[in-house]
Amino acid sequence: INAEYMGKKIISEIDKDSMSGTLLFEEFKKIMKEKLFDYENEEEIAIAFPLFAAAGGNESDHISFDTLKAIANELGENLTDDELQEMIREADVLDYDGKISRDEFFRVMKRENAY
């Protein structure tokens, strides 16, 4: 199953009311918490992190602003740069380097009880 199909499937599950095929920021956050990060254990979170870090063709050990923007675009969500930067600021609490590391990703996942 490719990422575009999965993105459209997830959007259609969340966007049942308006059927517009687009998401509001709150709906996007809901997806991030309930769908994309619906993991049962740390092993599955460990599998997910490199997939996110590699979004948009980036080969990296972190999730950068550009990577997060690529993820949002792949989902068809046009988030503002400020909204994306805020998402990174909320997660980037271990080294404050402007990127989300593997440890920060795990921390967010556990804090949000998203798995």
Side-chain angles (χ1 to χ4, degrees):
I1 299 175
N2 69 36
E4 182 178 353
Y5 169 78
M6 287 302 296
K8 287 179 181 178
K9 182 176 185 279
I10 291 168
I11 290 170
S12 69
E13 289 174 7
I14 298 295
D15 188 37
K16 289 181 178 174
D17 294 336
S18 70
M19 298 300 289
S20 66
T22 61
L23 298 174
L24 300 173
F25 181 61
E26 289 302 316
E27 292 172 322
F28 179 75
K29 288 193 324 189
K30 183 177 179 181
I31 285 174
M32 298 301 278
K33 289 181 180 178
E34 295 178 5
K35 297 292 181 184
L36 295 179
F37 297 134
D38 187 18
Y39 300 111
E40 295 178 7
N41 59 49
E42 289 187 16
E43 183 178 322
E44 291 179 350
I45 296 171
I47 291 168
F49 178 75
L51 298 174
F52 277 85
N58 300 315
E59 293 298 325
S60 182
D61 61 348
H62 62 270
I63 299 171
S64 67
F65 170 82
D66 291 334
T67 304
L68 188 58
K69 191 168 192 163
I71 293 166
N73 287 336
E74 285 179 26
L75 290 173
E77 185 59 34
N78 295 319
L79 298 174
T80 67
D81 287 355
D82 288 341
E83 290 169 326
L84 293 167
Q85 287 290 6
E86 180 61 24
M87 293 171 87
I88 289 177
R89 273 192 296 276
E90 288 180 14
D92 183 29
V93 296
L94 297 179
D95 57 13
Y96 302 101
D97 64 353
K99 302 175 279 192
I100 302 169
S101 68
R102 183 180 186 277
D103 290 340
E104 290 164 335
F105 184 80
F106 269 76
R107 184 181 168 131
V108 167
M109 297 306 298
K110 291 176 183 179
R111 181 185 73 214
E112 298 294 337
N113 296 318
Y115 67 94

